[in-house]
């Protein structure tokens, strides 16, 4: 067993050399707009990550359970595609590691020769995942890559000739805008080698009531997760948001197939953010857009694969057809 953490810095891609500066700029730009917005990438400080992990265990947020069901039911079939040669099992944003562990256990049982390479911008997340796997899977080779997803993938594909199997689970692709999505997929296609695989999670279109429940869960975890953005501004940028004066609102756009999340100001108020040397004015019921979560038709997924250059190998569904893990090949 070997375990390493590599930190990659590479100017070709957007590397976050200074996360605090990026956060400052993001908040300043987003709150200065006519229609205020904050990028959902800022959700994941320690509290945000903790709340998201908690949400994934709540029944209303069906996505995680569906994907766990898919991986459990289809891991042996998925494995048949990778059995022939040693490979790198790369993962973008491994989260709490429960989902990759299902595949990893299966591959280890089959004596596949592979190294697990989680890529994440958070060193803390990577350390946790390494400790967890070292304890539970002492025979697993891990090289954790502390970097932006694309820079990490670029480093890896430049330094290794092995076949790559890239995992991007959990439907995080749905948090990008349509333009960002195709740009991201094309970048991945360019970086992978011919013959490499890409297993990608997508949340499918379904009854809007189910969606609304998932993004307005009965335990209020999503609400706390979204409001934590304001708390993060208070603590990191010396802001004075009163969280009781904003409400979470999750709604489904039936035309774009998108869950949209907003924080809505409950009164006219002005907020000082001292580290930005700025005061922001909110009128009563003014929204801050904080997240898109796109839902997909299978035909849209197939079009995305095609437009990015990938061939579709197989789709793996859960029993309710709520979610799909789609296996693509370069
Ligand atoms: C990380 N991402 C896939 C989640 C989603 O479903 O869009 C983030 C989330 N936002 C609210 N609930 C969960």
């Amino acid at each position: 067993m070997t375990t390493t953490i590599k930190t990659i810095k590479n100017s070709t891609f957007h590397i976050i050399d200074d996360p605090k500066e990026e956060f400052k700029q993001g908040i300043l730009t987003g709150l200065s707009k006519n229609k205020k917005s904050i990028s959902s990438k800022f959700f994941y400080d320690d509290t945000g990550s903790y709340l998201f992990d908690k949400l994934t265990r709540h029944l209303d947020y069906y996505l995680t359970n569906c994907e766990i069901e898919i991986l459990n039911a289809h891991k042996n079939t998925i494995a048949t595609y990778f059995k022939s040669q040693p490979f790198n099992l790369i993962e973008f944003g491994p989260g709490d590691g429960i989902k990759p562990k299902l595949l990893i256990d299966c591959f280890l049982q089959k004596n596949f020769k592979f190294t697990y390479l989680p890529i994440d911008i958070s060193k803390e997340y990577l350390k946790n995942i390494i400790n967890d796997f070292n304890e539970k899977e002492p025979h697993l080779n891990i090289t954790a890559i502390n970097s932006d997803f694309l820079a990490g993938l670029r480093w890896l594909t430049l330094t290794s000739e092995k076949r790559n199997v890239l995992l991007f689970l959990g439907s995080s692709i749905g948090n990008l805008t349509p333009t960002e999505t195709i740009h991201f997929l094309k970048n991945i296609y360019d970086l992978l080698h011919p013959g490499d695989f890409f297993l990608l999670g997508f949340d499918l279109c379904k009854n809007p009531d189910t969606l609304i429940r998932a993004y307005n869960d009965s335990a209020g975890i999503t609400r706390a997760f979204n409001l934590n953005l304001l708390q993060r501004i208070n603590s990191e940028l010396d802001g004075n948001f009163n969280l009781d004066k904003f409400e979470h609102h999750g709604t489904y756009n039936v035309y774009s197939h998108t869950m949209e999340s907003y924080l809505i100001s409950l009164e006219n108020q002005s907020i000082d953010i001292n580290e930005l040397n700025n005061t922001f004015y909110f009128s009563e019921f003014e929204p801050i857009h904080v997240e898109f979560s796109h839902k997909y038709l299978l035909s849209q997924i197939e079009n995305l694969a095609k437009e990015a250059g990938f061939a579709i190998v197989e789709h793996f569904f859960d029993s309710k057809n709520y979610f799909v893990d789609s296996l693509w090949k370069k």
Side-chain angles (χ1 to χ4, degrees):
M1 180 267 296
T2 61
T3 305
T4 331
I5 296 194
K6 289 201 182 299
T7 299
I8 312 293
K9 298 211 184 271
N10 184 315
S11 59
T12 314
F13 291 104
H14 175 64
I15 294 299
I16 303 159
D17 280 324
D18 186 349
K20 169 122 190 216
E21 193 50 39
E22 199 203 18
F23 185 49
K24 271 172 95 168
Q25 284 309 319
I27 300 305
L28 179 62
T29 313
L31 294 187
S32 305
K33 285 191 204 153
N34 205 6
K35 286 185 177 173
K36 294 182 175 64
S37 66
I38 302 177
S39 166
S40 59
K41 71 180 169 197
F42 297 126
F43 277 139
Y44 303 94
D45 65 347
D46 287 349
T47 310
S49 301
Y50 163 79
L51 288 168
F52 179 62
D53 281 350
K54 192 168 165 191
L55 177 65
T56 61
R57 289 189 291 276
H58 194 280
L59 279 184
D60 288 344
Y61 190 74
Y62 59 84
L63 290 81
T64 311
N65 283 338
C66 289
E67 198 170 32
I68 288 175
E69 182 196 322
I70 293 172
L71 296 173
N72 263 321
H74 301 286
K75 59 191 174 195
N76 288 308
T77 314
I78 294 171
T80 56
Y81 291 106
F82 314 143
K83 67 178 172 204
S84 56
Q85 59 195 94
F87 60 92
N88 298 316
L89 182 68
I90 310 162
E91 181 167 29
F92 285 169
D96 60 12
I98 290 173
K99 288 181 277 186
K101 188 168 181 302
L102 296 172
L103 292 176
I104 287 168
D105 285 349
C106 170
F107 298 164
L108 287 175
Q109 270 168 22
K110 294 178 190 300
N111 285 320
F112 285 6
K113 302 267 169 291
F114 68 101
T115 301
Y116 176 53
L117 299 116
I119 306 180
D120 206 290
I121 201 71
S122 157
K123 214 172 206 161
E124 283 316 299
Y125 249 65
L126 292 176
K127 280 186 194 156
N128 288 342
I129 240 204
I130 286 175
N131 289 340
D132 238 47
F133 274 113
N134 280 350
E135 200 182 298
K136 293 179 190 144
E137 296 293 0
H139 301 297
L140 176 67
N141 287 323
I142 308 181
T143 300
I145 303 178
N146 180 215
S147 120
D148 184 77
F149 292 158
L150 293 177
L153 181 62
R154 184 176 134 95
W155 171 80
L156 184 65
T157 52
L158 284 175
T159 50
S160 167
E161 287 299 313
K162 278 193 208 149
R163 164 162 292 172
N164 297 299
V165 175
L166 172 61
L167 308 177
F168 191 32
L169 305 175
S171 196
S172 294
I173 190 94
N175 299 131
L176 302 179
T177 65
T179 315
E180 287 167 345
T181 302
I182 192 62
H183 187 68
F184 182 68
L185 294 175
K186 282 183 174 169
N187 268 322
I188 290 170
Y189 181 86
D190 289 343
L191 293 173
L192 290 175
H193 302 146
D196 285 353
F197 289 97
F198 188 15
L199 186 67
L200 195 49
F202 291 94
D203 195 20
L204 295 167
C205 289
K206 60 185 62 63
N207 177 334
D209 290 343
T210 307
L211 294 170
I212 300 271
R213 208 175 316 121
Y215 290 81
N216 297 276
D217 65 281
S218 55
I221 306 167
T222 316
R223 176 179 179 278
F225 172 70
N226 286 355
L227 282 167
N228 179 57
L229 257 180
L230 304 186
Q231 182 54 47
R232 187 175 172 197
I233 297 173
N234 285 350
S235 43
E236 290 184 31
L237 304 181
D238 194 13
N240 69 347
F241 279 104
N242 178 344
L243 273 55
D244 293 334
K245 294 187 178 173
F246 285 83
E247 194 44 84
H248 157 68
H249 178 67
T251 183
Y252 184 60
N253 184 326
V254 291
Y255 294 105
S256 62
H257 303 166
T258 307
M259 276 305 306
E260 297 176 359
S261 292
Y262 298 90
L263 290 167
I264 296 183
S265 173
L266 296 178
E267 58 185 58
N268 292 327
Q269 50 183 321
S270 50
I271 306 296
D272 299 322
I273 304 182
N274 292 322
E275 287 221 19
L276 299 180
N277 294 319
N278 236 306
T279 300
F280 299 91
Y281 299 94
F282 291 81
S283 49
E284 194 180 15
F285 301 122
E286 182 177 350
I288 313 172
H289 173 261
V290 292
E291 190 175 53
F292 289 117
S293 297
H294 291 274
K295 309 301 162 192
Y296 298 86
L297 297 169
L298 203 55
S299 56
Q300 291 175 314
I301 295 170
E302 291 182 344
N303 285 339
L304 280 175
K306 201 167 150 201
E307 205 181 330
F310 289 97
I312 292 181
V313 178
E314 191 167 347
H315 298 302
F316 301 98
F317 300 93
D318 63 293
S319 52
K320 293 198 284 269
N321 281 343
Y322 274 8
F323 201 93
V324 63
D325 277 336
S326 188
L327 182 62
W328 300 357
K329 190 172 188 180
K330 171 159 173 172

